[in-house]
């Protein structure tokens, strides 16, 4: 297995190099040269595996033999040993035909922990094996930052700097990032929104000299390893709802911002998992909903919502999907992305749109609908959804699926987004790990949202 760029100008590279490269050097995104196809017989043999065992099976198709099996195994077990649920990602029935896949049992109570705990271990492993410095740089709409910091704080040979939009993350998200006291962590609170943060990071990563001389590494979902780790729970959830029975399709509803998590579902489908529809749930920042419905990808105006981790207009991972829906034609991707850069939007042809609609359905869940969904499920089932998971459930109800079962991804614990829960008139009790954050001192630097101001901070920190 080797990796190539969606824009066609990176030679075939191995797993660890792809992991370290993050954004491809030609500005594209790295994808596997060939997606492995898992036969039904092999799927059947995976039915009863634990999450960790399943992850090792899936990764064995992608790691190119570059990491000895026992080393990978140690990293996987260390990562998920820190989860509060023994199943790692338990599935629970919400009502007939609708199941929730709980992805928030990791250290920071959001799904980002699943990939980032493992990536923290991997960065540490590579830093030791190759005796190299690793300077992680990332932008966050709130959850990735907390999770990435948690994955690498205090680790030898690694420094991490996270940009978050000033006062546009929830209180708990802010506390999770800024109450960490280890000296290898820098939090920059940037005047602007998430898209500003992400754009500046992308520019820095695209400057190959800067990236190399500063030893930059990416934890955003531009990193393929993050996507790969997330495919595991699609398989795991599928087996929980279908094992021992006929392998009919299952739909998945996915609260979406950067198109990362839902792309992991698409990858699972391409690998042969019987996935019916992938339901794309957005909030008012609904560029992706418009893409699925109309074939137009054009960022609109940024809006702050009850589900801040999805307040994203430019979806980094969209290009990966474009690559596949255009039949792996890197030239066509490069030219469309160029058009996007110059004209601020792209439109796909009708035939392509039909293919998009075969795989995806979409619904943008607006504020009131989100809150109403939280209230409804609390009243009817006693289950308290966080606002992101509520968008997933609302979209699952609204969209026409293709299967008798839909698994909706619960991407965060409600305690992370108490602002929205309170608006529903619901009082919740915080888990102890979150409650204790409120007494801790915070460390962060507030900066202007310009590349110059950020580079100045980075030069000091990475010196
Ligand atoms: C990041 C995040 C999302 C969106 O995930 P993408 O991979 O960016 O699409 C949804 N919900 C929560 C809670 C998140 O943290």
């Amino acid at each position: 297995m080797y990796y190539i760029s969606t824009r066609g100008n990176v030679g075939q590279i191995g797993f660890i190099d792809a992991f370290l490269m993050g954004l491809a050097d030609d500005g594209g995104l790295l994808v596997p040269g060939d997606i492995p196809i898992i036969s039904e017989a092999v799927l059947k043999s995976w039915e009863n595996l634990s999450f960790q065992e399943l992850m090792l099976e899936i990764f064995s198709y992608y790691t190119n033999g570059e990491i000895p099996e026992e080393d990978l195994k140690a990293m996987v077990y260390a990562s998920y040993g820190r989860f509060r649920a023994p199943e790692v990602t338990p599935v629970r029935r919400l009502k007939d035909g609708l199941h929730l896949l709980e992805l928030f049992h990791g250290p920071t109570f959001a799904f980002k922990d699943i990939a980032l705990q493992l990536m923290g271990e991997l960065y540490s492993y590579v830093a030791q094996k190759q005796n190299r410095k690793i300077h992680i740089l990332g932008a966050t709409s709130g959850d990735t930052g907390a999770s990435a910091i948690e994955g690498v704080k205090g680790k030898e040979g690694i420094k991490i700097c996270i940009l978050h939009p000033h006062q546009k993350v929830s209180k708990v998200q802010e506390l999770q990032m800024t109450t960490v006291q280890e000296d290898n962590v820098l939090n920059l609170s940037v005047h602007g929104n998430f898209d500003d943060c992400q754009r500046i990071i992308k520019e820095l990563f695209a400057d190959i000299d800067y990236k190399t001389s500063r030893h930059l590494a990416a934890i955003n979902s531009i990193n393929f390893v993050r996507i790969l780790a997330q495919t595991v729970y699609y398989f795991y959830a599928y087996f929980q709802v279908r094992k021992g029975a006929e392998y009919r399709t299952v739909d998945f509803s996915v609260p979406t911002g950067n198109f990362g998590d839902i792309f992991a579902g698409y990858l699972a489908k391409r690998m042969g998992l019987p996935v019916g529809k992938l339901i794309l749930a957005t909030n008012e920042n609904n560029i992706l909903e418009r893409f699925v419905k109309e074939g137009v990808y054009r960022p609109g105006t940024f809006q702050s919502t009850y589900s801040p981790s999805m307040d994203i207009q430019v979806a980094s991972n969209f290009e990966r999907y474009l690559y596949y829906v255009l039949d792996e034609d890197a030239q066509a991707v490069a030219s469309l992305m160029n058009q996007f850069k110059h004209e601020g939007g792209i439109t796909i042809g009708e035939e392509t749109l039909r293919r998009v609609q075969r795989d995806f359905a979409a619904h943008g869940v607006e504020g009131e609908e989100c809150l109403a969904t939280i209230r409804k499920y609390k009243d009817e089932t006693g289950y308290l959804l966080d606002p992101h998971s509520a968008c997933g459930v609302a979209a699952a109800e609204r969209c026409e699926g293709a299967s008798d079962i839909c698994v909706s991804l619960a991407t965060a614990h409600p305690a992370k987004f108490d602002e929205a829960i309170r608006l529903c008139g619901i009082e919740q009790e915080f888990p102890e790990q979150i409650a204790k954050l409120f007494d801790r001192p915070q460390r962060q630097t507030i900066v202007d949202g310009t590349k110059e101001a950020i580079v100045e901070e980075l030069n000091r920190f990475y010196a």
Side-chain angles (χ1 to χ4, degrees), residues 162-194:
I162 297 292
L163 279 58
H164 70 264
H166 185 56
Q167 294 183 337
K168 290 196 175 71
V169 298
S170 81
K171 190 66 198 168
V172 171
Q173 288 178 318
E174 181 187 317
L175 289 170
Q176 284 180 329
M177 290 188 277
T178 59
T179 55
V180 172
Q181 300 300 321
E182 275 81 355
D183 285 330
N184 72 333
V185 176
L186 172 67
N187 279 291
L188 295 180
S189 182
V190 180
H191 286 291
N193 59 41
F194 172 75

Side-chain angles (χ1 to χ4, degrees), residues 414-436:
K416 283 198 99 162
F417 302 98
D418 195 44
E419 292 86 344
I421 302 299
R422 278 172 181 279
L423 287 174
C424 297
I426 297 170
E427 257 192 65
Q428 60 175 325
E429 210 167 298
F430 283 178
E432 185 208 323
Q433 297 93 323
I434 288 183
K436 70 184 183 197

Side-chain angles (χ1 to χ4, degrees), residues 110-112 143 255-261 309-310 312 388 411-412 417:
F111 89 91
K112 306 293 200 296
D143 291 329
T256 308
N258 244 331
F259 207 81
D261 207 5
S309 301
M310 291 152 61
I312 295 173
H388 304 78
T411 51
F417 302 98

Side-chain angles (χ1 to χ4, degrees), residues 78-382:
S79 301
Y80 303 103
R82 299 181 198 113
F83 277 57
R84 293 176 303 279
E87 312 92 315
V88 185
T89 61
V91 178
R92 51 150 85 214
R93 185 184 159 283
L94 208 50
K95 63 180 190 190
D96 269 354
L98 182 60
H99 295 251
L100 268 192
L101 171 56
E102 291 185 341
L103 301 174
F104 52 74
H105 296 288
T108 71
F109 293 81
F111 89 91
K112 306 293 200 296
D113 286 331
I114 290 163
L116 290 172
Q117 281 294 316
L118 181 69
M119 284 172 70
E121 293 290 326
L122 263 176
Y123 274 129
S124 186
Y125 178 82
V126 174
Q128 270 173 25
K129 284 270 160 180
Q130 303 189 354
N131 195 20
R132 56 153 90 214
K133 285 187 201 164
I134 291 185
H135 293 163
I136 296 171
L137 177 62
T140 187
S141 54
D143 291 329
T144 291
S147 192
I149 290 170
E150 193 59 38
V152 301
K153 66 179 185 196
K155 284 199 164 123
E156 195 74 36
I158 301 182
K159 288 185 182 180
I160 180 165
C161 171
I162 297 292
L163 279 58
H164 70 264
H166 185 56
Q167 294 183 337
K168 290 196 175 71
V169 298
S170 81
K171 190 66 198 168
V172 171
Q173 288 178 318
E174 181 187 317
L175 289 170
Q176 284 180 329
M177 290 188 277
T178 59
T179 55
V180 172
Q181 300 300 321
E182 275 81 355
D183 285 330
N184 72 333
V185 176
L186 172 67
N187 279 291
L188 295 180
S189 182
V190 180
H191 286 291
N193 59 41
F194 172 75
D195 289 299
D196 299 321
C197 297
Q198 178 155 270
R199 179 177 35 78
I200 294 168
I201 300 277
K202 269 195 131 178
E203 280 173 29
L204 294 175
F205 275 98
D207 180 345
I208 309 293
D209 286 341
Y210 189 80
K211 177 177 169 182
T212 316
S213 67
R214 295 288 163 186
H215 312 286
L216 297 189
I219 37 84
N220 284 93
S221 51
I222 54 176
N223 199 310
F224 181 74
V225 176
R226 197 165 132 180
I227 304 288
L228 185 60
Q230 291 170 192
T231 59
V232 177
Y233 50 70
Y234 285 90
F235 284 86
Y236 185 75
Y238 183 88
F239 297 136
Q240 299 317 300
V241 298
R242 288 286 191 230
K243 77 180 154 201
E246 193 195 332
Y247 273 12
R248 280 176 290 152
T249 63
V250 169
D251 299 335
F252 286 89
S253 182
V254 188
T256 308
N258 244 331
F259 207 81
D261 207 5
I262 198 162
F263 182 79
Y266 179 73
L267 181 60
K269 182 170 184 171
R270 297 279 298 221
M271 288 170 72
L273 191 71
V275 173
K277 275 266 159 55
L278 287 159
I279 296 169
L280 188 152
T282 67
N283 56 31
E284 287 88 337
N285 297 290
N286 66 345
I287 171 177
L288 291 165
E289 179 197 11
R290 279 179 281 132
F291 172 73
V292 170
K293 288 185 171 160
E294 298 157 25
V296 179
Y297 179 78
R298 180 177 291 278
T301 331
F302 176 90
Q303 292 191 52
S304 287
T305 73
Y306 300 134
S307 43
S309 301
M310 291 152 61
D311 288 348
I312 295 173
Q313 290 282 335
V314 182
S316 273
N317 266 284
F318 177 69
E319 180 169 344
R320 280 200 169 100
Y321 174 62
L322 207 52
Y323 176 76
Y324 287 103
V325 83
L326 295 173
D327 287 325
E328 306 177 39
D329 180 348
Q331 292 269 283
V333 174
S335 110
L336 274 178
M337 291 315 290
N338 195 40
Q339 184 188 344
F340 178 69
K341 192 172 168 188
H342 291 106
E343 294 167 22
I346 51 185
T347 304
I348 54 168
E350 246 174 58
E351 166 58 26
T352 313
L353 180 58
R354 265 197 297 278
R355 295 176 60 182
V356 172
Q357 292 173 346
R358 267 208 299 274
D359 290 325
F360 294 90
H363 177 57
V365 183
E366 305 222 328
E368 274 317 308
E369 187 180 6
C370 173
L371 299 186
T373 306
I374 295 174
R375 281 191 211 103
K376 175 180 150 186
Y377 279 87
K378 181 76 174 91
D379 286 350
E380 288 178 5
T381 70

